[in-house]
């Protein structure tokens, strides 16, 4: 049976500082059938030069455009429509795939499970491309979606039929992924796999860095689904138990990766082990955010 074709959709706008790592992390995959679609909103920061060079040097299929569009969600939807893969990933322009065998493992996970959507674990990457933290995500539980996002977006992949049938809500600027998970969970099998698949970059210029509009949009979006999402119970106790399990799993994963590091797919490296371990676990702001969503 032939290996599935994997399409990667990347929306981009004025991200020339971080786009090279994104492109490298796809281009360096040790997997034969990869398609990368980059949908740029008309950047004038050197992005076009980067994309022209990337396309010229690529050994995999590359399609890109750079022109004004209707924003991130619309660009992703266009990418979903253009993608030809059996499996489709969505990787924002400042994020990366973790190591050079990520997409091979994704194909294997889909071969071993009948899930419609899989999501793996995340590495947090700073502005200097250092891996500063490992985040083992919780297993999927629709009952938790009323107060926490659960899924790590850059580490998420879909079977072709999912993105054929579903699109992001273009009225949302910040929480389009969160809303997408809620909607997909109505009828699709969403499953967590214990595997670090992607790097989520934290930097000062990311659009979700301003918490006020993000929180307002999330809380408004959640109100739309209050009647259909399961009523959360014992949120404080359940969240604490989930975080303790994640903390232990993330610590073990961190030690394992530092002991036997993979070949990263981007031009980065690992922060010292002591720093990575000290970064583990949710901060006070994360706890407050979950409680605010639960009470809204």
């Amino acid at each position: 049976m032939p290996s599935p074709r994997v399409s990667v959709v990347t929306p981009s706008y004025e991200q020339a500082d971080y786009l090279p790592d994104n492109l490298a992390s796809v281009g360096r995959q040790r997997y034969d059938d990869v398609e990368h679609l980059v949908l740029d909103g008309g950047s004038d920061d050197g992005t076009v030069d980067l994309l022209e060079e990337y396309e010229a040097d690529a050994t995999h299929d590359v399609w890109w455009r750079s022109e004004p569009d209707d924003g991130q969600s619309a660009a992703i939807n266009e990418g979903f429509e253009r993608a030809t893969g059996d499996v489709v990933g969505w990787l924002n322009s400042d994020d990366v795939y973790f190591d050079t065998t990520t997409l091979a493992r994704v194909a294997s996970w889909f071969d071993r499970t009948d899930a419609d959507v899989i999501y793996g674990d995340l590495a947090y990457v700073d502005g200097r491309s250092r891996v500063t933290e490992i985040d083992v995500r919780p297993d999927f539980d629709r009952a938790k979606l009323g107060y926490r996002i659960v899924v790590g977006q850059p580490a998420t992949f879909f079977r072709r039929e999912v993105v054929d049938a579903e699109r992001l809500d273009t009225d949302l600027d910040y929480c389009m992924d969160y809303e997408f998970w809620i909607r997909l969970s109505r009828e699709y099998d969403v499953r967590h796999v214990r595997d670090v698949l992607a790097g989520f970059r934290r930097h000062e210029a990311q659009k979700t860095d301003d918490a006020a509009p993000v929180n307002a949009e999330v809380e408004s979006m959640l109100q739309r689904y209050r009647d259909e999402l399961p009523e959360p119970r014992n949120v404080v106790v359940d969240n604490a138990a989930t975080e303790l399990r994640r903390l232990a799993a993330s610590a073990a994963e961190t030690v394992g990766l530092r002991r036997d590091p993979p070949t990263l797919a981007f031009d980065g490296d690992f922060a010292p082990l002591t720093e990575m371990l000290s970064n583990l676990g949710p901060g006070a702001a994360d706890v407050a955010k979950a409680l605010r969503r639960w009470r809204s």
Side-chain angles (χ1 to χ4, degrees):
M1 182 177 179
S3 298
R5 181 173 176 82
V6 179
S7 296
V8 179
V9 173
T10 294
S12 180
Y13 184 65
E14 305 288 3
Q15 288 285 349
D17 287 345
Y18 301 118
L19 185 60
D21 272 350
N22 172 288
L23 303 179
S25 79
V26 178
R28 294 174 184 170
Q29 290 299 310
R30 291 160 51 193
Y31 189 74
D32 289 337
D33 199 355
V34 177
E35 171 188 56
H36 196 184
L37 304 102
V38 184
L39 301 102
D40 179 72
S43 299
D44 60 4
D45 62 348
T47 289
V48 170
D49 292 338
L50 292 172
L51 291 173
E52 287 176 342
E53 181 179 358
Y54 177 57
E55 182 181 28
D57 294 342
T59 58
H60 58 287
D61 290 342
V62 174
W63 180 92
W64 63 274
R65 55 93 166 146
S66 183
E67 60 191 25
D69 57 28
D70 293 324
Q72 183 181 6
S73 295
I76 296 163
N77 286 344
E78 180 185 342
F80 285 168
E81 185 172 351
R82 290 182 177 274
T84 62
D86 307 292
V87 172
V88 180
W90 152 23
L91 188 69
N92 289 331
S93 53
D94 49 357
D95 296 331
V96 293
Y97 287 136
F98 187 57
D99 63 86
T100 57
T101 63
T102 290
L103 295 186
R105 298 198 309 277
V106 167
S108 178
W109 281 116
F110 274 111
D111 186 53
R112 290 149 55 190
T113 175
D114 58 359
D116 302 303
V117 181
I118 64 166
Y119 67 97
D121 303 320
L122 292 174
Y124 292 114
V125 179
D126 68 12
R128 294 181 290 158
S129 298
R130 296 186 317 145
V131 178
T132 60
E133 182 181 347
I134 299 299
D135 179 6
V136 173
R137 303 301 299 169
D139 288 341
F140 190 76
D141 182 352
R142 195 169 195 267
K144 291 183 171 65
L145 287 176
Y147 63 92
R148 64 183 302 161
I149 194 168
V150 181
V151 178
Q153 179 270 311
T156 303
F157 295 84
F158 314 90
R159 291 192 190 272
R160 162 88 264 152
E161 53 267 29
V162 176
V163 297
D164 278 345
E166 305 290 345
R167 293 289 189 272
L168 297 181
D169 184 342
T170 56
D171 290 330
L172 298 173
D173 293 318
Y174 303 105
C175 66
M176 67 286 281
D177 53 343
Y178 195 170
E179 190 274 342
F180 202 43
W181 314 145
I182 293 173
R183 198 153 27 94
L184 293 184
S185 69
R186 288 171 171 167
E187 58 180 295
Y188 296 103
D189 182 359
V190 181
R191 201 171 305 181
H192 171 241
V193 297
R194 179 71 182 274
D195 191 347
V196 180
L197 298 178
F200 177 84
R201 192 183 299 271
R202 290 169 163 167
H203 59 95
E204 293 181 357
Q206 62 192 145
K207 74 176 191 178
T208 54
D209 199 49
D210 185 356
V214 177
N215 291 338
E217 184 177 274
V218 168
E219 289 167 22
S220 174
M221 179 274 293
L222 286 174
Q223 287 300 326
R224 290 158 45 186
Y225 291 99
R226 284 296 175 205
D227 291 341
E228 76 168 72
L229 286 174
E231 181 69 23
R233 301 181 185 278
N234 302 317
V235 169
V236 174
V237 173
D238 179 71
N239 218 38
T242 298
E243 292 305 326
L244 285 172
R245 288 192 295 269
R246 284 181 63 204
L247 181 62
S250 297
E253 190 71 28
T254 299
V255 172
L257 286 171
R258 294 298 280 114
R259 181 183 297 123
D260 186 18
T263 302
L264 296 178
F266 57 100
D267 291 327
D269 55 17
F270 289 91
L273 178 60
T274 52
E275 179 182 343
M276 292 182 68
L277 291 174
S278 69
N279 288 334
L280 295 178
D286 298 313
V287 176
K289 182 166 58 178
L291 289 174
R292 183 175 58 252
R293 291 171 182 170
W294 167 54
R295 290 168 177 162
S296 64

